Amino acid sequence: MARYIGPKSRISRRFGEAIFGPDKVLSKKNYAPGQHGNNRRKKTSEYGLMLAEKQKAKYTYGVLERQFRNLFEKAATKSGVTGEILLQFLESRLDNVVFRLGLAPTRAAARQLVSHKHITVDGKVVNIPSYSVQAGQVVAVREKSKSLEVIDAALAGFNHSKYPWIEWDESVKGGKFLHMPERADIPENIKEQMIVELYSK
């Protein structure tokens, strides 16, 4: 599947948030990109705000439109709060779980680890970033890849108690996906209800 490979600072400046991780450009230029980015006073419409929220979620999790819509439609068929279920589906993606485990500094780096066959699920190599991790499954680094410097650097000083839905196990250099996270435990600044309203139009 294709993915966004353009300038990430430009996207972060558009939303005013470091959605791809620490951003030096954003800290210096905390306004929209472009020649008139610092002078924009135009009021955004309600539709524009909803669209921006969807775009932010897509960029944050590295998902393109078709896959994002498929996840939304799947979430809409489940009983419960659709927006929260959508975020749970995004959080259970393998590349995101690898990122949450601290095995990679960013989701893009986690996606690369998965694609390059460095990650296993229940002991079997899985190289599909969008793979949906289920409760009870163990996501870990492949035995041959445990000495990778990029993984050691990412793990250095990482707080494994940040996410209560994942249980870290140092012996396998990975962790168990205990259950879908509650909305309060998902740190992303996303107004999921606006996404639901957008798709409901």
Side-chain angles (χ1 to χ4, degrees):
M1 183 189 122
R3 58 193 168 88
Y4 179 75
I5 56 173
K8 293 180 179 179
S9 290
R10 187 177 181 85
I11 300 300
S12 295
R13 287 175 64 196
R14 183 196 301 176
F15 296 112
E17 296 177 33
I19 60 176
F20 296 109
D23 194 309
K24 293 180 181 178
V25 176
L26 181 64
S27 64
K28 295 177 182 177
K29 300 179 179 180
N30 192 15
Y31 50 85
Q35 183 179 355
H36 306 290
N38 206 16
N39 300 316
R40 291 180 185 171
R41 294 289 183 271
K42 185 178 178 181
K43 186 177 180 180
T44 307
S45 67
E46 182 183 356
Y47 177 81
L49 290 171
M50 292 188 291
L51 183 62
E53 210 59 37
K54 182 192 74 169
Q55 295 294 82
K56 187 203 297 185
K58 284 166 53 182
Y59 281 121
T60 297
Y61 288 97
V63 180
L64 293 186
E65 180 60 35
R66 180 179 292 182
Q67 197 167 20
F68 193 84
R69 175 175 276 277
N70 287 342
L71 284 174
F72 173 81
E73 290 175 353
K74 182 180 176 183
T77 64
K78 301 285 186 180
S79 60
V81 183
T82 301
E84 184 174 331
I85 295 171
L86 172 63
L87 288 184
Q88 289 175 336
F89 284 159
L90 290 166
E91 284 290 326
S92 66
R93 283 171 53 98
L94 181 56
D95 54 358
N96 184 76
V97 174
V98 169
F99 168 67
R100 294 295 191 206
L101 282 167
L103 297 171
T106 64
R107 287 185 179 87
R111 182 188 184 95
Q112 191 172 51
L113 284 179
V114 174
S115 298
H116 291 184
K117 300 182 178 181
H118 295 303
I119 302 298
T120 65
V121 177
D122 287 344
K124 295 181 180 179
V125 173
V126 177
N127 65 340
I128 303 169
S130 62
Y131 176 88
S132 181
V133 182
Q134 303 299 312
Q137 289 189 313
V138 175
V139 176
V141 178
R142 187 182 182 185
E143 195 62 41
K144 293 180 180 178
S145 307
K146 287 185 177 179
S147 59
L148 283 177
E149 288 184 16
V150 64
I151 294 176
D152 288 335
L155 286 172
F158 187 82
N159 178 13
H160 290 291
S161 63
K162 282 201 297 185
Y163 308 113
W165 67 92
I166 298 174
E167 183 179 68
W168 175 256
D169 184 349
E170 182 64 38
S171 65
V172 298
K173 220 166 195 175
K176 180 183 286 187
F177 189 82
L178 300 175
H179 55 76
M180 286 291 193
E182 299 293 328
R183 179 61 185 100
D185 294 327
I186 300 174
E188 306 306 333
N189 181 27
I190 295 172
K191 300 180 181 70
E192 64 275 9
Q193 185 54 35
M194 294 182 76
I195 300 173
V196 175
E197 291 172 10
L198 177 67
Y199 278 125
S200 299
K201 283 186 174 293

